[in-house]
């Protein structure tokens, strides 16, 4: 799970939030071998509330409250669909039956137009099955293929989150440094690691299969 997902956009200046050409680009439905990534729906609220109400997830995601209620889930769906949270938020679902697994997102960097930030989380029943890596691959491919101005994608994880670090590294990200970020569920700041994938490195990867 990523620390950046669900970060509130209100910290940005009005001028930053009013740059529609790049930060509000369309986010197409994404298909992979086992997954469909699409906008969160009202029908996801019950599953979202059930899966997100887990301290093991909330303590790894910066802006997720704990406990997490159906009201929180409904508000999240509403705000993502009107663009108040993130700019490209996806529900991660199974391709064969539409089952809701979690969420992932791409956000513009607050200071650099040519950088995106990636975040994700999965419900605990779906851990260790490769779904997070598969979703991340789909997000990264879409970002670099459809946004010519993007040169880099950043990702962060808590230093204690070994599975998330493994996902980031399997996607070709390189370690950049460490720091502290706020965590709503923890009520304070937590140490995180910062990773970056540049367009040149992405282009050098002949296929995602080589990274598995």
């Amino acid at each position: 799970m990523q620390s950046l997902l669900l970060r509130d956009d209100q910290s940005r200046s009005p001028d930053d939030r009013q740059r529609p050409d790049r930060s509000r680009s369309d986010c197409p439905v994404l298909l992979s071998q086992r997954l469909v990534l699409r906008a969160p729906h009202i029908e996801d609220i019950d599953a979202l509330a059930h899966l997100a109400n887990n301290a093991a997830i909330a303590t790894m995601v910066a802006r997720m409250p704990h406990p997490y209620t159906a009201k929180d889930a409904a508000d999240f769906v509403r705000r993502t669909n009107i663009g108040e949270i993130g700019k490209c938020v996806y529900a991660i679902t199974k391709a064969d039956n539409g089952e809701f697994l979690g969420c992932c997102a791409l956000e513009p960097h607050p200071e650099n137009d040519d950088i995106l930030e990636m975040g994700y989380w999965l419900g605990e029943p779906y851990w260790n099955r490769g779904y997070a890596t598969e979703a991340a691959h789909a997000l990264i491919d879409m970002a670099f293929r459809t946004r010519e101005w993007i040169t880099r994608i950043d990702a962060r994880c808590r230093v204690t989150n070994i599975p998330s670090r493994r996902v980031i590294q399997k996607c070709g990200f390189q370690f950049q440094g460490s720091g502290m970020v706020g965590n709503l569920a923890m009520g304070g700041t937590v140490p995180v690691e910062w990773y970056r994938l540049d367009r040149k490195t992405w282009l050098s990867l002949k296929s995602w299969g080589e990274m598995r």
Side-chain angles (χ1 to χ4, degrees):
M1 287 72 64
Q2 263 311 83
S3 63
L4 294 176
L5 190 59
L6 307 183
R7 187 182 64 188
D8 201 314
D9 197 45
Q10 300 307 309
S11 60
R12 300 177 186 171
S13 70
D15 288 341
D16 287 338
R17 294 197 297 269
Q18 290 172 7
R19 291 181 293 187
D21 290 343
R22 292 188 175 183
S23 64
R24 296 179 185 271
S25 298
D26 289 341
C27 302
V29 172
L30 304 179
L31 306 178
S32 64
Q33 183 176 1
R34 298 178 295 169
L35 302 175
V36 175
L37 276 57
R38 52 150 177 85
H41 296 163
I42 293 175
E43 292 78 11
D44 299 324
I45 290 174
D46 288 345
L48 170 58
H50 173 69
L51 294 176
N53 188 32
N54 184 336
I57 295 173
T59 54
M60 299 295 170
V61 180
R63 298 293 300 174
M64 182 181 285
H66 184 74
Y68 194 94
T69 67
K71 182 179 178 181
D72 293 318
D75 188 56
F76 173 76
V77 171
R78 178 187 63 82
R79 296 179 67 198
T80 56
N81 287 330
I82 63 176
E84 287 188 2
I85 299 178
K87 294 296 182 290
C88 209
V89 179
Y90 286 100
I92 304 171
T93 67
K94 285 187 179 181
D96 57 355
N97 61 11
E99 185 176 1
F100 178 91
L101 309 183
C103 291
C104 58
L106 289 169
E107 295 189 12
H109 191 279
E111 298 177 358
N112 296 287
D113 283 349
D114 64 338
I115 301 176
L116 290 174
E117 300 187 43
M118 180 179 72
Y120 52 85
W121 68 268
L122 286 175
E124 189 168 359
Y126 310 106
W127 294 356
N128 301 314
R129 301 187 189 183
Y131 290 132
T133 303
E134 190 171 332
H137 285 171
L139 277 180
I140 293 164
D141 287 345
M142 181 273 288
F144 281 131
R145 287 172 178 165
T146 65
R147 292 151 169 78
E148 297 84 359
W149 63 90
I150 296 301
T151 62
R152 293 160 288 176
I153 299 175
D154 284 356
R156 302 176 199 268
C157 66
R158 285 192 60 182
V159 297
T160 57
N161 196 340
I162 296 173
S164 187
R165 182 188 301 117
R166 187 179 304 116
V167 169
I168 291 169
Q169 292 173 338
K170 285 195 293 185
C171 290
F173 285 77
Q174 301 298 311
F175 179 76
Q176 302 294 310
S178 57
M180 304 290 291
V181 300
N183 184 283
L184 183 62
M186 297 285 287
T189 59
V190 295
V192 299
E193 295 176 346
W194 164 38
Y195 293 83
R196 174 166 287 174
L197 175 66
D198 60 50
R199 182 179 287 273
K200 182 177 180 180
T201 301
W202 172 73
L203 287 171
S204 73
L205 303 176
K206 300 301 183 182
S207 72
W208 285 121
E210 297 176 3
M211 302 300 298
R212 296 184 190 278

